[in-house]
Amino acid sequence: DGTGGVGVEVGGAADWTAVGGGFDETSYSRLDQIGTGNIDKLGLAWALDLPGEVTLEATPLEVDGVIYFTGSYAKAYAVDATTGKVLWTYDPETWKHDPAAMHFSFGANRGMAYEDGKVFAASLDGRLFALDAKTGKELWVSESIPEGALNISTGAPRVMNGKVIIGNGGADFGARGFVTAFDAETGKLLWRFYTTPGTDEENAGKPAMELAAKTWGPDHLKAGGGGGTVWNGMTYDPELNRIYIGVGNAGPYDPDIRDPDSKGDNLFTTSIVALDADTGKYIWHYQENPRDSWDYKSTPNIQIATLTIDGKLRKVLMHAPTNGFFYVLDRKTGKLVNEPGKTTLITWAKGIDMKTGRPIEAPQIRYETGLTKMWPGTIGGHNWQAMSYSPKTGLVYIPQQQIGARFSRKGGSENAFNVMGLMLEPITEKPGDGHGYLVAWDPVAQKEVWRVQHKGLWNGGTLATAGGVVFQGTATGYFKAYDAKSGKELWKFNAGLGIIGAPMSYSRDGKQYVSVLVGYGGTTAAYGHFMDMGYKYGLQPRRLLTFAIGGDKSLPPSPPPDFTVHALDDPALTLDEDDVLAGRALSVQCAACHGVGLQATGTPGPDLRESAIALDLDSFRALLQSGPLMSRGMPRFENLTEDQIRQLHAYIRAKAREALGKREKDDTAPSAKL
Ligand SMILES: O=C(O)c1cc(C(=O)O)c2c(n1)C(=O)C(=O)c1cc(C(=O)O)[nH]c1-2
């Protein structure tokens, strides 16, 4: 019916059969046993500890009494939905299979797909695997990334009518985006759609690639594949038998490096593209940022619904990409049905031109002067954390953050990253920056109805329910429930660690449950200099938590946040300034897991300033060269030279010394930092 078809394929409203709840990706549960009237009686039914896990981004599925989810590095779990007992696990062991892929991520995986007794997920190195849902037995494994391509897989596959589709990431290091469909029964490749053009020869005879090629200059492949990776949102539309894919940013970000010989739009980067579900043939596209120059991405989840607009029922899709606007498109044509509203502080554009559908860009945003500042920044107003839509309230619940970005063609502060020739750095300069928000948005009126400010910047996805409640986990470690109409906070539970994944709901033997993964991380956890969460590596347990009315279990308390860096130093050691500087540049490779500027506060890896291994040159060298911790996510860096190892080590030492110095000078209460 297009109004939140949760679980319709299997057990009606009782199950949660896809990461977004059902095909429509509205993250809405029709269950109403837990509601605004009894939420004070909501309590923990069971908890499952997940030792060894780091970043947990998946929304679990539930089918016929079994919960399925992926942990980090796509380790798959099946768990009894009423008791929390583990039924089976499956580990694709990427570190053994393709150690090189470990360099390109920090373990993120956003979940599984379910159809007909099979579950599907993809490992970081792009192996799509099908498992028997009962036993966890491997049924088939197919390579979804061609040999030699730079891509990695972090997203959840989607499955429909016997076809599994999977995208991948890598635009930030120059990969070319595509999605691939496989036969769910056999794992055979059925079709592949590229999001950027290839060589003239490859494009010939393919209308979508010929169309895209006109928007790029002749030499566009020199700087890489152009980006446009489809690493998160993909939605199947059963009414029109189409798939809408959310295409990522263009790469390299600087268009003068990426595509110096044209001023074209660089299709299909930062677009939504509609494809025929059977053949993968192009139907339409809508580009949210023509000639993207800022790492803007259209990858957040794409919802389908039927809305009444100007008195007419319209089949629409709804989208809140990182650029901050809210788009409602006609699913048949890909055209705007109303004027996109601003869901957050937006400085890069005045609005969207309703005649052309193109943004009206603000002056000086294409770094004409060599430098550009803008809001939202690359982290986005809304990123991969799922937004939900309640057909009951007619509102969309967007997990948001406010933070800007500074781009410069040279220079930048210590915390700036050089991303393929452009210096990039998140900034907090405007009122409201550095916080996350839960925003209730009216997609018909295109305006905000209420908002809640969170303490932390990077929070979890949302779940809306027929009980009139919106659930969301926060960076500061609370799982919270809000009144869907007013935004009033109704309930909270201390989970002991930040939450970034989205919750889901199911019913078993007449009882409604709500589950959520607790596992702080994601890319933004690396920005410890903006939001020191005080989490310490390995100390706060990762868990799957499940709640029900009358639940009376409690969690053993997690170690509280600790904002002190317990750095180690040897005052006798002299550090070579040139080594420290060179080490700083090399440390970009460490940042996703150990923090920007080595400030690790909830990152998947430990704080190197506190690490006895990293601070001792000999054990550090052995760690990098032989990879004894590879199974725990620490890759081998066998290509680093002896000089580079010494430089990195000097930088770690210098940062440890600096942290100790700060601690002596600054004795403000640690909690004052948040
Ligand atoms: O360009 C890409 O291919 C790509 C991939 C991914 C990813 O695969 O996780 C992210 C991003 N970009 C990205 O821009 C981003 O903000 C991001 C956040 C996260 C995360 O897991 O927290 N992944 C990614």
Side-chain angles (χ1 to χ4, degrees):
D1 59 4
T3 53
V6 176
V8 282
E9 313 90 79
V10 181
D15 285 322
W16 191 270
T17 58
V19 282
F23 286 137
D24 57 18
E25 306 262 341
T26 52
S27 298
Y28 174 72
S29 170
R30 288 193 200 140
L31 300 171
D32 61 1
Q33 193 178 78
I34 302 167
T36 48
N38 62 355
I39 191 122
D40 55 320
K41 301 198 177 54
L42 191 66
L44 187 65
W46 54 261
L48 171 66
D49 274 29
L50 300 168
E53 293 298 341
V54 284
T55 289
L56 294 176
E57 302 192 356
T59 312
L61 316 181
E62 187 278 345
V63 184
D64 290 339
V66 180
I67 290 181
Y68 304 96
F69 66 94
T70 47
S72 352
Y73 298 100
K75 180 173 172 184
Y77 291 79
V79 175
D80 184 299
T82 43
T83 65
K85 188 175 158 267
V86 174
L87 303 173
W88 54 256
T89 62
Y90 170 93
D91 189 345
E93 296 190 309
T94 298
W95 62 278
K96 268 192 201 161
H97 195 270
D98 185 359
M102 303 291 285
H103 290 198
F104 296 102
S105 177
F106 49 88
N109 189 275
R110 295 185 200 84
M112 305 180 102
Y114 175 95
E115 192 180 66
D116 286 344
K118 293 195 264 315
V119 288
F120 309 90
S123 62
L124 184 59
D125 53 314
R127 281 168 295 145
L128 178 70
F129 54 87
L131 308 175
D132 183 318
K134 280 234 158 58
T135 62
K137 200 179 138 255
E138 190 180 289
L139 299 173
W140 52 258
V141 182
S142 292
E143 297 286 350
S144 73
I145 296 173
E147 190 69 36
L150 285 175
N151 309 62
I152 49 159
S153 263
T154 59
R158 306 297 197 277
V159 58
M160 74 292 299
N161 304 331
K163 286 185 199 68
V164 199
I165 51 168
I166 180 73
N168 47 65
D172 300 329
F173 27 87
R176 180 184 181 197
F178 56 89
V179 292
T180 318
F182 292 87
D183 184 307
E185 204 51 49
T186 62
K188 186 173 163 264
L189 194 154
L190 299 174
W191 54 257
R192 174 167 286 156
F193 178 84
Y194 278 98
T195 59
T196 63
T199 60
D200 290 349
E201 244 171 35
E202 287 163 348
N203 302 335
K206 301 192 184 87
M209 289 299 98
E210 287 172 348
L211 169 73
K214 290 194 189 114
T215 67
W216 294 79
D219 271 345
H220 73 275
L221 288 170
K222 275 201 180 140
T229 43
V230 185
W231 53 269
N232 184 54
M234 298 186 289
T235 299
Y236 173 62
D237 179 344
E239 291 172 303
L240 302 177
N241 195 37
R242 289 174 182 177
I243 298 162
Y244 310 107
I245 60 170
V247 184
N249 55 272
Y253 305 155
D254 186 339
D256 286 4
I257 298 175
R258 176 176 77 236
D259 178 37
D261 306 322
S262 102
K263 293 275 173 256
D265 287 349
N266 291 177
L267 291 173
F268 297 100
T269 61
T270 323
S271 302
I272 292 182
V273 185
L275 304 175
D276 182 287
D278 292 331
T279 60
K281 289 239 157 58
Y282 164 92
I283 299 168
W284 57 251
H285 75 273
Y286 178 81
Q287 192 173 40
E288 292 170 330
N289 284 93
R291 199 167 177 84
D292 165 49
S293 308
W294 318 279
D295 187 21
Y296 277 150
K297 41 226 160 215
S298 303
T299 45
N301 61 321
I302 301 161
Q303 303 182 321
I304 59 178
T306 303
L307 299 182
T308 307
I309 293 184
D310 296 331
K312 281 197 207 101
L313 277 181
R314 302 286 298 264
K315 287 188 201 307
V316 301
L317 67 79
M318 302 190 281
H319 197 226
T322 63
N323 77 21
F325 283 97
F326 193 93
Y327 298 84
V328 184
L329 302 183
D330 184 311
R331 280 186 260 149
K332 282 196 193 121
T333 61
K335 298 274 189 283
L336 293 169
V337 306
N338 57 17
E339 189 177 335
K342 293 181 177 175
T343 67
T344 183
L345 173 66
I346 295 180
T347 65
W348 70 271
K350 291 200 181 69
I352 310 295
D353 182 326
M354 285 302 288
K355 278 206 201 82
T356 61
R358 297 173 72 90
I360 306 156
E361 291 179 1
Q364 304 296 330
I365 60 155
R366 291 182 174 270
Y367 15 94
E368 290 84 345
T369 61
L371 184 94
T372 287
K373 281 193 223 174
M374 64 199 301
W375 280 258
T378 62
I379 293 166
H382 173 221
N383 204 308
W384 59 267
Q385 288 92 334
M387 64 183 191
S388 55
Y389 166 67
S390 164
K392 256 191 158 169
T393 58
L395 303 179
V396 177
Y397 301 95
I398 312 170
Q400 232 183 44
Q401 50 273 330
Q402 189 186 310
I403 186 158
R406 183 191 295 124
F407 298 88
S408 53
R409 285 190 159 133
K410 51 180 175 309
S413 85
E414 183 187 0
N415 293 319
F417 278 107
N418 183 332
V419 189
M420 290 183 289
L422 189 68
M423 298 302 288
L424 162 62
E425 177 179 9
I427 49 172
T428 49
E429 298 177 358
K430 304 263 191 195
D433 273 357
H435 290 279
Y437 300 85
L438 170 59
V439 173
W441 187 261
D442 179 339
V444 176
Q446 285 281 14
K447 65 170 207 285
E448 182 179 312
V449 177
W450 53 259
R451 86 167 37 217
V452 170
Q453 187 183 68
H454 296 308
K455 265 188 175 174
L457 175 69
W458 183 241
N459 303 283
T462 68
L463 163 71
T465 75
V469 181
V470 178
F471 289 93
Q472 186 186 21
T474 69
T476 49
Y478 283 95
F479 185 44
K480 294 192 171 185
Y482 301 88
D483 186 311
K485 285 206 185 103
S486 66
K488 183 172 170 246
E489 187 179 309
L490 302 173
W491 175 88
K492 69 177 172 186
F493 180 89
N494 184 350
L497 175 68
I499 297 171
I500 51 173
M504 59 79 156
S505 188
Y506 59 95
S507 166
R508 199 66 197 154
D509 304 325
K511 195 178 206 175
Q512 182 184 357
Y513 297 88
V514 176
S515 289
V516 69
L517 282 164
V518 180
Y520 196 64
T523 50
T524 302
Y527 296 107
H529 51 300
F530 286 125
M531 35 157 220
D532 185 352
M533 304 312 301
Y535 302 129
K536 294 284 180 182
Y537 178 71
L539 280 193
Q540 286 84 11
R542 265 73 182 160
R543 294 185 170 113
L544 174 63
L545 300 183
T546 296
F547 300 86
I549 295 297
D552 59 359
K553 299 278 188 301
S554 53
L555 285 180
S558 292
D562 174 1
F563 300 95
T564 307
V565 182
H566 302 278
L568 306 166
D569 190 28
D570 174 0
L573 200 77
T574 5
L575 297 174
D576 181 287
E577 270 313 303
D578 292 338
D579 276 2
V580 173
L581 270 181
R584 188 181 114 188
L586 289 165
S587 77
V588 167
Q589 297 172 77
C590 317
C593 293
H594 301 284
V596 176
L598 303 187
Q599 299 186 55
T601 81
T603 47
D607 191 321
L608 298 178
R609 301 166 302 176
E610 300 178 343
S611 158
I613 299 180
L615 288 160
D616 177 78
L617 183 57
D618 289 332
S619 44
F620 186 53
R621 182 189 300 108
L623 174 70
L624 295 170
Q625 291 180 340
S626 6
L629 299 180
M630 278 169 66
S631 66
R632 281 161 56 183
M634 172 64 199
R636 201 161 71 199
F637 287 86
E638 66 270 40
N639 294 335
L640 289 178
T641 63
E642 182 60 33
D643 280 349
Q644 289 173 322
I645 293 174
R646 193 192 64 243
Q647 291 159 349
L648 259 178
H649 179 256
Y651 179 62
I652 297 169
R653 275 277 173 195
K655 293 306 273 187
R657 193 165 283 180
E658 183 189 301
L660 280 174
K662 259 194 203 139
R663 193 166 67 190
E664 278 151 24
K665 273 184 254 141
D666 166 15
D667 57 5
T668 49
S671 57
K673 286 195 183 167
L674 245 184

